[in-house]
Amino acid sequence: MSTILALRPCCYCGSLQNGECRPSTTSPPSTAETLGFKKRFGINVIGLDHSRKCFSLYCNSVRSNFFKPIKAEDDSGASLDDDCAEHSGNNLGQMSNVGKSTNILWHENPVQKLERQRLLQQKGCVIWLTGLSGSGKSTVACALSQNLHSRGKLTYILDGDNVRHGLNKDLSFRAEDRAENIRRIGEVAKLLADAGVICIASLISPYRKDRDACRALLPKGDFIEVFLDVPLHVCESRDPKGLYKLARAGKIKGFTGIDDPYEPPSSCEIVLQQKETACASPSDMAETVVAYLEENGYLLA
């Protein structure tokens, strides 16, 4: 706690000297005069000249005697100025250039990931659901989020279509824009994981190198790639958005699985397979992911 000086009680006699009240040797003023009134034509009116004089005298005394500089100290006796200097910009590190951004400085936060994780009683990570359109990524993401929420865990879903409604609405589905779409989502997922949140990213992300680039953003083990391994013909038979039909008709160009490739993960953490004869429910697939999180300590701080 900081030490604060108490102010002396105000004196209203109008005779302050060096911050102390000096009793007057003359007869005490009347009530009207004490309150700053004068007699004018037999009527009590406010005497502004007297009020200004008393107020000026009072303020000068208070300013000179009461409000002397105070140096705040904590309970240990250490000056708070030292702590403030640490975060005031006086201890600047190396300026750097990143991409097209020049003369920027990384500012360390005194509250780090470990403290946030202890607060949430979980470990921040990114669960990256990848697969063809219609493979069930969004459905599994919602089931997984509900499962973890029921266990008291904080999650957030970054759905590919949802992000394109805002942050990535300026991107098309061309190869270069798809790469930028994945890069941006990867950076947002990294921030959420650093905040201690279990981030669930659900998007096709067809190119292996783009997914690997997102993996490289996070500490080892914090990127959990989940491949929904569903055959193309099964996804096309579902066609929840009618996109396969449009792609087959030539109305959509560069559609993954039709005229643009999907590159399966070469070494992912979890594979959720679905076939025509054996199709697990979304809740069962979510349980598989939760089991992985439990085994690897992500649901404990």
Side-chain angles (χ1 to χ4, degrees):
M1 297 293 292
S2 298
T3 304
I4 302 176
L5 295 180
L7 297 179
R8 298 173 185 174
C10 300
C11 174
Y12 298 100
C13 68
S15 301
L16 278 173
Q17 297 180 13
N18 295 325
E20 297 183 358
C21 179
R22 301 293 185 185
S24 175
T25 58
T26 60
S27 59
S30 66
T31 302
E33 291 172 337
T34 301
L35 295 177
F37 287 87
K38 278 189 174 181
K39 278 279 188 177
R40 291 284 176 86
F41 307 108
I43 303 175
N44 285 325
V45 295
I46 296 176
L48 293 178
D49 55 343
H50 177 70
S51 298
R52 289 195 189 99
K53 185 184 297 181
C54 293
F55 184 70
S56 176
L57 175 62
Y58 171 70
C59 288
N60 289 334
S61 299
V62 168
R63 187 182 301 112
S64 61
N65 291 281
F66 296 161
F67 292 151
K68 294 181 179 179
I70 301 173
K71 186 173 184 179
E73 295 181 351
D74 60 16
D75 292 335
S76 65
S79 172
L80 298 183
D81 292 344
D82 297 335
D83 292 334
C84 293
E86 184 178 347
H87 306 293
S88 65
N90 293 331
N91 300 327
L92 294 179
Q94 183 78 23
M95 301 291 281
S96 60
N97 301 329
V98 180
K100 296 181 180 179
S101 298
T102 59
N103 300 319
I104 58 175
L105 175 71
W106 182 267
H107 192 91
E108 287 294 340
N109 191 326
V111 180
Q112 294 293 319
K113 183 178 181 180
L114 289 178
E115 285 76 26
R116 293 187 285 269
Q117 291 182 152
R118 281 196 287 265
L119 180 67
L120 296 172
Q121 287 298 297
Q122 64 184 48
K123 291 182 179 178
C125 63
V126 175
I127 303 171
W128 195 279
L129 303 178
T130 178
L132 292 169
S133 177
S135 60
K137 300 180 298 300
S138 296
T139 304
V140 172
C142 290
L144 177 58
S145 181
Q146 286 180 316
N147 187 312
L148 292 171
H149 182 78
S150 68
R151 297 168 183 256
K153 303 305 175 184
L154 181 62
T155 66
Y156 194 87
I157 296 176
L158 292 176
D159 183 85
D161 280 5
N162 289 0
V163 177
R164 281 184 176 273
H165 277 78
L167 177 64
N168 292 347
K169 65 182 179 181
D170 60 321
L171 300 177
S172 70
F173 286 91
R174 293 177 299 179
E176 59 271 22
D177 279 359
R178 279 190 158 188
E180 175 61 14
N181 178 62
I182 301 305
R183 188 196 69 81
R184 292 183 190 178
I185 293 178
E187 290 286 355
V188 174
K190 172 188 173 182
L191 293 176
L192 288 171
D194 187 61
V197 176
I198 298 175
C199 176
I200 306 169
S202 168
L203 56 164
I204 296 173
S205 47
Y207 309 131
R208 191 178 298 118
K209 65 179 179 64
D210 295 334
R211 298 193 302 268
D212 290 344
C214 292
R215 180 187 291 273
L217 293 173
L218 286 99
K220 185 177 181 179
D222 286 359
F223 186 90
I224 304 164
E225 191 171 15
V226 181
F227 174 37
L228 274 75
D229 186 8
V230 183
L232 174 62
H233 68 274
V234 174
C235 294
E236 191 169 356
S237 65
R238 296 173 178 174
D239 202 10
K241 304 174 187 176
L243 299 178
Y244 282 103
K245 184 178 180 180
L246 294 174
R248 291 294 187 188
K251 296 181 180 180
I252 295 180
K253 300 295 182 182
F255 190 77
T256 303
I258 303 300
D259 54 356
D260 199 69
Y262 176 83
E263 300 172 356
S266 55
S267 57
C268 59
E269 283 71 20
I270 301 173
V271 177
L272 300 176
Q273 286 187 323
Q274 297 183 41
K275 299 179 180 179
E276 292 177 292
T277 56
C279 182
S281 68
S283 59
D284 289 341
M285 288 187 282
E287 279 292 346
T288 301
V289 179
V290 170
Y292 178 91
L293 296 176
E294 288 181 323
E295 291 171 7
N296 290 274
Y298 287 98
L299 303 186
L300 296 173

